[in-house]
Amino acid sequence: GENVEQHPSTLSVQEGDSAVIKCTYSDSASNYFPWYKQELGKRPQLIIDIRSNVGEKKDQRIAVTLNKTAKHFSLHITETQPEDSAVYFCAAAYSSGTYKYIFGTGTRLKVLA
Amino acid sequence: EAGVAQSPRYKIIEKRQSVAFWCNPISGHATLYWYQQILGQGPKLLIQFQNNGVVDDSQLPKDRFSAERLKGVDSTLKIQPAKLEDSAVYLCASSPMTGRGYTFGSGTRLTVV
C-alpha cells in the first residue's frame, strides 16, 4: 500500500547549525508534498509545501527539495534556533477527485542552545 | 478566517465506555478528515469525507468506530466500546477541493483507563 518513510526519527543539532529531514514516498501519483511542524500539545501547522512540477522551494530559513525520479523529498532548516524544536511531519498527497494525504512517522528535532 | 474547531479538548473514559468527538471544519471546505495520532507517531487517517459522502474509511475499525458528516458540514466520530489502545489524539482536518489550505484542528486527547 501507499506509505511515506521519514528519517531520522530524532535529530539533535546545535543552535545555528542546519537540520535536514528526508522522506521517501511510494505512490508515483503523489503530486503535493507539505511539511508540518507540531509543537508539544499543539496541532500540526503547515510550514512549507511543494508541488511535483517544482524541484525546490525556499521560505526564509526553510527549504524543501523534491526528486520525483527517486521519490524523495527533504526539508532543510538553516541557522536553527531553539524555537525550531518540535516534531516535523512530511506528507505525500495526490488527488483522486479529492486529496488523500499519507503522513510520515515524524522527526523530533531538538535544537540545543 | 476561523480555524477547524474540535471538542472536547480532553476526555478520560474507562474501557468499554462510549465517547464522541465533534468537528466543525473551516467554512467552505468540502473535504473533512479524521486522524488518529498515537503518541510518537504520525497521524493515521481513519476516515475521509467529501461533502457528506465517505471517500475512504479503509482504516476505520468499523466494529467500534463510526463517523458521520450530516449536511456536509460538522462531523462526529464515535467509539463504542473503547479499548485501552484507543488512547490517542484524534485530529480533525479540512481542506478545499484543491487540497491546498489543509488545516488541522487542535485535536481531542483521549485517555482510556
Side-chain angles (χ1 to χ4, degrees):
Chain A
E2 309 127 348
N3 77 302
V4 175
E5 293 186 4
Q6 182 171 347
H7 299 282
S9 57
T10 59
L11 178 60
S12 293
V13 299
Q14 290 291 331
E15 182 178 359
D17 286 352
S18 295
V20 180
I21 302 170
K22 299 181 179 181
C23 288
T24 304
Y25 61 98
S26 61
D27 193 337
S28 56
S30 298
N31 59 5
Y32 175 58
F33 306 91
W35 284 88
Y36 291 84
K37 176 183 180 182
Q38 187 174 29
E39 296 177 81
L40 191 63
K42 296 187 177 180
R43 75 186 78 186
Q45 300 252 11
L46 178 70
I47 55 172
I48 195 167
D49 57 9
I50 191 168
R51 290 205 172 270
S52 58
N53 58 347
V54 176
E56 183 173 357
K57 183 177 178 181
K58 190 173 182 180
D59 183 3
Q60 299 182 350
R61 295 187 298 108
I62 59 173
V64 57
T65 59
L66 171 64
N67 181 331
K68 281 185 61 181
T69 304
K71 297 182 187 173
H72 290 169
F73 57 113
S74 300
L75 178 72
H76 304 253
I77 307 175
T78 58
E79 301 171 24
T80 53
Q81 300 166 3
E83 52 265 38
D84 294 329
S85 296
V87 178
Y88 292 81
F89 292 98
C90 64
Y94 67 90
S95 176
S96 58
T98 184
Y99 268 82
K100 181 172 182 179
Y101 286 65
I102 307 295
F103 284 87
T105 48
T107 296
R108 182 172 300 279
L109 173 65
K110 191 176 293 184
V111 179
L112 307 171
Chain B
E1 174 184 77
V4 176
Q6 285 190 251
S7 67
R9 282 300 308 273
Y10 306 94
K11 191 74 177 178
I12 301 175
I13 62 172
E14 295 182 349
K15 60 183 179 184
R16 291 187 291 274
Q17 284 188 323
S18 302
V19 65
F21 313 128
W22 174 82
C23 173
N24 179 238
I26 291 174
S27 177
H29 279 193
T31 311
L32 185 148
Y33 310 77
W34 281 103
Y35 289 90
Q36 180 192 61
Q37 187 177 24
I38 293 173
L39 188 64
Q41 298 182 18
K44 170 191 159 187
L45 180 69
L46 292 175
I47 189 167
Q48 179 177 343
F49 292 95
Q50 182 172 325
N51 298 311
N52 60 346
V54 176
V55 174
D56 183 352
D57 64 356
S58 57
Q59 297 195 80
L60 186 74
K62 298 181 185 66
D63 57 334
R64 298 185 301 107
F65 285 65
S66 64
E68 60 182 8
R69 190 183 185 198
L70 298 176
K71 300 179 183 177
V73 181
D74 293 6
S75 178
T76 56
L77 175 69
K78 297 179 182 177
I79 307 175
Q80 179 179 12
K83 293 184 176 181
L84 296 176
E85 58 261 36
D86 298 332
S87 295
V89 174
Y90 290 84
L91 291 164
C92 179
S94 71
S95 75
M97 288 291 289
T98 61
R100 305 285 307 267
Y102 186 99
T103 305
F104 282 98
S106 297
T108 296
R109 182 176 297 278
L110 173 68
T111 303
V112 182
V113 297

